Amino acid sequence: MIEKSQHVLQLKDIYSALLTEKQLEVLNMHFEDDFTLAEIAENTATSKQAAYDIIKRTVSSLNYYEEKLGLAAREQQLRFLLDRALLLINRQNPAEADLDEAKQIIIDALELL
């Protein structure tokens, strides 16, 4: 569940501009504040079923956006590449080959932008 929550929060951060204020509010209550459906319903003046439906539809929308746009996957790939480049550069007395590899990784990362 924690892994799913982190994934949803990552997608929410990336695609928040595509969500309504109410969708953001409900997702924050559920995934960040760990509110129950009853607490969300009380805070939003809706039913527990409505709160559940908002969460389900919003998560589905976020997954759809990621499927079509792939921004979270691209961000993860960029982070991996840049972490690798930093590791090579930060070695004590990096070899020329390490610096060349780091340079190529940075070039590859820039192409993803």
Side-chain angles (χ1 to χ4, degrees):
M1 178 65 176
I2 290 174
E3 198 171 291
K4 179 185 177 188
S5 295
Q6 289 174 339
H7 179 69
V8 169
L9 289 172
Q10 179 189 21
L11 294 179
K12 180 194 67 100
D13 288 345
I14 293 170
Y15 299 111
S16 61
L18 302 175
L19 301 177
T20 67
E21 197 171 303
K22 183 153 192 154
Q23 288 173 316
L24 286 171
E25 177 185 18
V26 170
L27 279 187
N28 286 334
M29 284 190 268
H30 184 68
F31 289 102
E32 291 183 8
D33 302 329
D34 204 25
F35 281 21
T36 65
L37 291 175
E39 291 169 323
I40 294 169
E42 183 179 324
N43 283 297
T44 59
T46 60
S47 66
K48 290 192 303 186
Q49 183 62 48
Y52 174 81
D53 289 344
I54 291 169
I55 293 166
K56 193 80 168 160
R57 280 194 319 269
T58 304
V59 169
S60 178
S61 293
L62 290 171
N63 286 321
Y64 176 79
Y65 300 148
E66 177 58 18
E67 180 185 316
K68 296 300 178 189
L69 301 172
L71 297 179
R74 183 178 295 167
E75 179 182 298
Q76 185 176 10
Q77 189 176 12
L78 280 169
R79 285 183 189 280
F80 174 80
L81 289 172
L82 295 174
D83 285 344
R84 174 76 179 133
L86 277 174
L87 180 69
L88 292 167
I89 291 168
N90 286 331
R91 285 185 177 167
Q92 190 172 3
N93 300 319
E96 189 69 30
D98 290 339
L99 295 175
D100 288 342
E101 183 180 350
K103 180 180 175 183
Q104 186 57 51
I105 289 170
I106 292 169
I107 291 168
D108 293 344
L110 287 171
E111 288 177 3
L112 289 173
L113 295 177

